[in-house]
Amino acid sequence: MKCTACKDEAILRIKRHHVAFCQKCFIKFIQKQIIQAIKRYQMFSKKESVLLAVSGGKDSMALWSVLTDLGNQITAIHLDLGIPNFSDQSRQIVQRFAIDKNLPLVVFSLKEHLGYTLPELQKKIPRPACSVCGLTKRFILNHYAYHHHYSVLATGHNLDDEAATLLGNLLRWREEYLQHQSPCLPSDYPGLVKKVKPFYTLTDQEILWYVQQMKIPYCDSICPFSRKASSLDFKKALNVIEDQSPGTKHYFLFHFLERKHDLFPGKQPNGILKNCSLCGMPTTQERCSFCSVLETAQNKSQLFIGKDDIEL
Ligand code: AMP
Ligand code: ZN
C-alpha cells in the first residue's frame, strides 16, 4: 500500500476519503483538516487566546497538542470531577503533559469550588448522572471562560461525537437542539462565550491513530457514569452502518450542517435569554439549570456561584 501523497510505504488507510498515508503525510493531513475547520467556521485567529477544555481523553489531548504545534495561544482547563480513580488518573495525565511541554494549565476542582464532587452532586439530584455531569461541565467552562476574558472555548468533540448527537436529536426530534448543533456557536448574548469544535471533521479512529503516531499520552478509561449513556449506543449503531458503507457518518453530519439553515430558516436557536437571578449567567428561565441543581443539592440558595466565588 503506497501513500497517496508521497508514494512512500503507507501505514494506514482512510476509506471514507479513499486515501492511504505514510506517517509524515498523515500528520500533515490531520493538521490540514484542523486548519481548514478553523478557517471555514472562522473559529479563532492566532492572535486570540483560546481556552481549551482538556479531559485527558485522546481527543482533547490530541487537540491540545496539534493546536499548540500550529502556533495558537492555548490555555488548557481541566475539571477535576472527583470521580474515584477515573478523575485522579485523568488529572495526572493532563498535569504531566503540561509540565513536560511547558504549557499553561488551570485545574479546577469541583470539590474545592462547589463543595461537592460530581458523584456527591449526582446522588442529590433526581436526574440521569450524565445529564448532571454535562450541565455542570458546560456551566463551569463557560463561566470560567467568560469571567477570565477568553473569547473562545474549544472542546475535543469529533465527527463520531457530533454524528451521534445528531442521530440522538433526530430520533427524539429535538428541534431546538438540532438548530443549535454546530462546530462553531457564536457568542450571541453577553455571558455566552463562543464555542468551537475544531475536530468535527475527524473520526475517533483517525484521532486514535494520531495520538499513537505522535506518542501523545491519554487516559483510555471510560468514565464509570457514561457506560449507560445513550450516546454510546448511537455511536455503535452508526459504526455498524459505517462498516457496511464507509463515509456514511461523514455524509450524515456534513449534509446536515450544510442544510441546517434551509431546514430551520430564520429561527433563533437560543430562544429568549435573560440573566439568572442568582448567578447572572444567561438562561431562558428565572434561574439557570445549574443554580437550580445546586439549590436542590443544598436545599438553600446561598450556595450559588456568584461572580467572584470561583476565581482561582
Ligand atoms: P465528553 O463529553 O466526555 O465526550 O467530552 C467532550 C469534550 O468535553 C472533551 O473533548 C473535552 O474537550 C471536554 N471535557 C470533558 N470532560 C472534561 C473535563 N473533566 N475537563 C475539561 N474538559 C472536559
Ligand atoms: Zn444561575
Side-chain angles (χ1 to χ4, degrees):
M1 184 168 70
K2 297 280 174 217
C3 171
T4 311
C6 74
K7 311 297 173 211
D8 270 1
E9 202 54 35
I11 54 163
L12 51 91
R13 180 197 295 278
I14 303 179
K15 282 193 192 161
R16 71 189 170 103
H17 287 302
H18 307 290
V19 290
F21 289 124
C22 67
Q23 189 195 46
K24 216 173 74 197
C25 295
F26 175 64
I27 290 162
K28 275 196 211 153
F29 163 81
I30 296 286
Q31 292 184 337
K32 205 170 155 196
Q33 289 283 318
I34 303 296
I35 293 168
Q36 282 173 345
I38 293 173
K39 206 168 154 193
R40 186 173 310 123
Y41 279 92
Q42 300 180 328
M43 292 184 179
F44 49 83
S45 72
K46 290 204 172 145
K47 287 190 202 136
E48 277 175 282
S49 60
V50 175
L51 186 67
L52 171 66
V54 178
S55 62
K58 68 173 190 335
D59 305 301
S60 50
M61 291 298 289
L63 189 56
W64 195 7
S65 176
V66 78
L67 287 179
T68 303
D69 290 348
L70 291 172
N72 295 283
Q73 296 181 48
I74 304 296
T75 297
I77 179 166
H78 173 72
L79 307 184
D80 181 346
L81 306 171
I83 300 170
N85 303 320
F86 176 75
S87 290
D88 282 344
Q89 216 182 324
S90 309
R91 194 195 61 247
Q92 282 163 14
I93 288 169
V94 173
Q95 283 178 319
R96 208 172 308 131
F97 191 75
I99 293 169
D100 287 353
K101 306 270 176 192
N102 198 20
L103 303 174
L105 167 69
V106 174
V107 175
F108 185 101
S109 153
L110 246 64
K111 181 76 179 174
E112 204 179 299
H113 292 283
L114 305 184
Y116 299 110
T117 62
L118 188 74
E120 286 166 355
L121 196 58
Q122 281 164 335
K123 269 192 213 140
K124 292 172 186 279
I125 309 296
R127 286 170 69 150
C130 279
S131 120
V132 178
C133 179
L135 185 141
T136 304
K137 287 195 280 199
R138 277 192 302 277
F139 180 90
I140 293 176
L141 291 170
N142 182 69
H143 188 283
Y144 187 92
Y146 179 66
H147 288 294
H148 291 80
H149 313 291
Y150 289 93
S151 51
V152 189
L153 172 67
T155 55
H157 292 95
N158 64 30
L159 197 159
D160 289 75
D161 299 322
E162 293 302 286
T165 302
L166 175 58
L167 181 60
N169 287 337
L170 282 171
L171 290 176
R172 294 160 186 149
W173 205 240
R174 292 165 146 174
E175 224 178 290
E176 215 190 308
Y177 289 95
L178 287 167
Q179 287 171 52
H180 203 66
Q181 185 170 351
S182 169
C184 180
L185 288 173
S187 160
D188 52 8
Y189 190 85
L192 276 186
V193 175
K194 181 177 180 181
K195 315 276 177 344
V196 300
K197 300 169 183 170
F199 265 171
Y200 83 97
T201 65
L202 295 168
T203 61
D204 265 335
Q205 179 61 61
E206 289 151 15
I207 297 168
L208 182 64
W209 281 330
Y210 186 76
V211 291
Q212 289 168 345
Q213 294 303 317
M214 297 294 282
K215 300 196 170 23
I216 298 168
Y218 68 96
C219 177
D220 64 356
S221 326
I222 297 177
C223 167
F225 293 108
S226 76
R227 288 199 187 110
K228 286 193 203 137
S230 49
S231 59
L232 294 181
D233 295 330
F234 299 145
K235 272 194 182 186
K236 273 190 220 153
L238 285 168
N239 282 336
V240 170
I241 306 171
E242 180 76 17
D243 279 348
Q244 296 297 319
S245 339
T248 303
K249 279 187 288 199
H250 175 124
Y251 185 92
F252 178 53
L253 179 66
F254 294 175
H255 282 252
F256 165 75
L257 293 175
E258 272 169 30
R259 289 175 192 176
K260 205 178 80 167
H261 295 293
D262 299 333
L263 294 170
F264 306 108
K267 293 218 174 157
Q268 287 294 318
N270 276 328
I272 296 162
L273 287 173
K274 50 190 168 189
N275 297 91
C276 167
S277 59
L278 289 178
C279 70
M281 298 305 280
T283 176
T284 50
Q285 315 287 317
E286 210 264 317
R287 260 170 214 191
C288 75
S289 325
F290 186 66
C291 284
S292 305
V293 160
L294 283 187
E295 206 178 16
T296 311
Q298 188 76 347
N299 208 17
K300 54 183 175 194
S301 56
Q302 75 203 47
L303 196 80
F304 69 86
I305 296 192
K307 201 172 167 198
D308 303 316
D309 291 351
I310 59 170
E311 294 293 323
L312 289 172

